[in-house]
Amino acid sequence: MILIGENINIMNKKIKEAMTNRKKEVIQKIAVESKNNGMDYLDLNIGPARKDGPFLIEWLIKTIREVCDLPLSIDTTNIEALKVGLEMEGEKAIINSIQGVEERMEELLPLVKKYNCKFIGLLLSKEGMPRDENERGAIAANFLAKIDEYGIPHDKVYFDPIVLPVRFQQEQVVATLEFMKMFKELFPDCNSTCGLSNVSNGALNELRGLLNRTYLVMLWKYGMDSAIVDAYDKELVYIVNQEKEDIKNLIWEAMDKELDISGLSEEEKNYVKTVYVLQGKSIYSDSYLKL
Ligand code: THG
């Protein structure tokens, strides 16, 4: 499982302030800590960065390169900024992301070809968000046809089936799982990734890590190759590094059958209840652990 640290993200107030005022130390601290905590990549999310994009990304990458050698995932809708990043990082970089919409694919796949880099193929179409696992499959198939047109090897793509918040869109959380169940059969030589923390957006803070970790382990069972994650969730890294096999095995077991949880520890009960919520077998509510 390849882990991409999500924490250098302009949506976060402190990071936004550090980017605006070019405060190196704030960014460098997160980069170093993300690597120390076990991340394989850093996601640099600068959003639309309308005017300043190319300067901002150049500053960010230089700043990070003073202290950290992790490869980067470049997350911006500003194409000029993206090009600057690709020029600096070349084939090590990941473009985050290219939407499965004709104009976007035609604009950005040539960059993949030029720089020989990887990219995240976001399973959105011109109709917007897919409604279920079958629409995700159709968008991915159409995307792959375009990838072939450009002669791009399949291992360059990381399809992102779009993770949505369980608090607001529980049925979409299930659809993404159902899609991943079919993924390796439909697209055997392609990779997969996702923005894991989306699943817990809007949920109570004390539930977020539990929801994120449980969902990652569930997606992993179906072959998810990578995820954009909170680099400060140490428990998540332990599980991925197979230092918490009891928890992983429990989650995988709960996915296949209704477990009697009466003899389990509090922690184990919480994971099992979370599996049932993420499978759509129990309804999400802020108090689901107490039921
Ligand atoms: N797919 C792809 N890229 C993505 C996403 C995706 N990039 C952005 C996002 N989704 C993944 N990254 C994040 C980063 C932060 C959070 C969620 C997803 C997050 N942050 C908390 C918040 O906003 O409440 C806390 C921020 C903080 O620490 O203060 O939830 O789906 N390809």
Side-chain angles (χ1 to χ4, degrees):
M1 174 74 62
I2 297 166
L3 298 178
I4 305 171
E6 73 182 12
N7 302 75
I8 302 180
N9 187 332
I10 198 156
M11 302 288 279
N12 177 298
K13 262 212 215 112
K14 211 180 113 201
I15 305 296
K16 188 183 168 106
E17 201 268 328
M19 287 184 187
T20 308
N21 298 308
R22 302 292 198 259
K23 286 189 180 160
K24 272 189 182 183
E25 319 74 48
V26 175
I27 304 293
Q28 289 178 332
K29 181 166 188 284
I30 296 175
V32 169
E33 288 173 348
S34 297
K35 176 163 178 176
N36 290 343
N37 290 354
M39 296 300 110
D40 303 299
Y41 279 83
L42 292 176
D43 189 62
L44 304 184
N45 187 329
I46 63 165
R50 274 187 203 88
K51 282 188 247 140
D52 188 37
F55 298 104
L56 177 56
I57 200 75
E58 185 186 4
W59 174 80
L60 255 185
I61 295 177
K62 280 189 178 153
T63 296
I64 290 166
R65 284 292 167 255
E66 287 176 13
V67 295
C68 177
D69 59 1
L70 286 184
L72 306 174
S73 148
I74 303 172
D75 194 345
T76 177
T77 45
N78 182 327
I79 297 204
E80 293 315 312
L82 175 62
K83 284 182 184 163
V84 169
L86 292 173
E87 206 51 57
M88 294 172 78
E89 292 290 308
E91 65 178 26
K92 298 194 306 288
I94 303 182
I95 298 175
N96 183 11
S97 53
I98 304 179
Q99 298 180 10
V101 172
E102 232 60 25
E103 306 85 78
R104 306 263 84 196
M105 295 189 287
E106 282 165 13
E107 190 172 25
L108 292 165
L109 287 177
L111 293 180
V112 172
K113 188 90 179 158
K114 175 171 178 196
Y115 292 98
N116 196 31
C117 61
K118 304 179 180 57
F119 69 101
I120 297 177
L122 202 63
L123 298 185
L124 277 176
S125 70
K126 64 176 188 300
E127 281 90 44
M129 211 68 96
R131 275 166 292 195
D132 59 20
E133 58 275 23
N134 297 317
E135 287 194 6
R136 284 171 168 79
I139 298 168
N142 181 57
F143 210 136
L144 198 57
K146 261 293 184 251
I147 291 170
D148 286 341
E149 246 177 65
Y150 284 88
I152 293 166
H154 291 185
D155 65 354
K156 295 290 184 192
V157 64
Y158 285 74
F159 280 127
D160 180 341
I162 308 198
V163 169
L164 289 163
V166 68
R167 167 92 197 262
F168 307 111
Q169 306 228 56
Q170 195 175 359
E171 66 299 330
Q172 287 284 358
V173 169
V174 179
T176 288
L177 276 176
E178 291 300 315
F179 173 71
M180 283 312 299
K181 251 191 222 178
M182 315 187 281
F183 185 82
K184 283 289 157 188
E185 215 170 304
L186 291 174
F187 308 104
D189 44 10
C190 299
N191 306 292
S192 49
T193 194
C194 65
L196 183 70
S197 306
N198 300 351
V199 79
S200 64
N201 268 132
L204 295 182
N205 264 331
E206 59 263 37
L207 296 175
R208 291 203 63 173
L210 179 67
L211 286 163
N212 294 344
R213 292 188 293 273
T214 309
Y215 200 46
L216 183 63
V217 173
M218 294 171 77
L219 292 165
W220 193 12
K221 185 167 196 254
Y222 300 138
M224 181 66 77
D225 298 289
S226 138
I228 304 166
V229 303
D230 178 4
Y232 293 92
D233 188 344
K234 296 227 166 108
E235 198 70 12
L236 181 146
V237 178
Y238 292 142
I239 295 174
V240 166
N241 288 344
Q242 313 199 304
E243 290 161 41
K244 282 242 164 189
E245 290 296 83
D246 48 336
I247 295 296
K248 185 181 86 182
N249 291 332
L250 179 68
I251 291 170
W252 285 2
E253 207 184 331
M255 288 169 74
D256 291 333
K257 56 175 187 278
E258 199 75 36
L259 295 180
D260 173 12
I261 63 170
S262 56
L264 299 180
S265 71
E266 206 58 36
E267 184 194 25
E268 290 168 336
K269 280 182 185 157
N270 289 345
Y271 276 108
V272 172
K273 288 177 182 174
T274 303
V275 169
Y276 297 144
V277 165
L278 293 169
Q279 280 183 322
K281 285 184 183 154
S282 22
I283 302 289
Y284 176 88
S285 76
D286 289 337
S287 57
Y288 77 87
L289 287 183
K290 299 188 186 84
L291 302 179

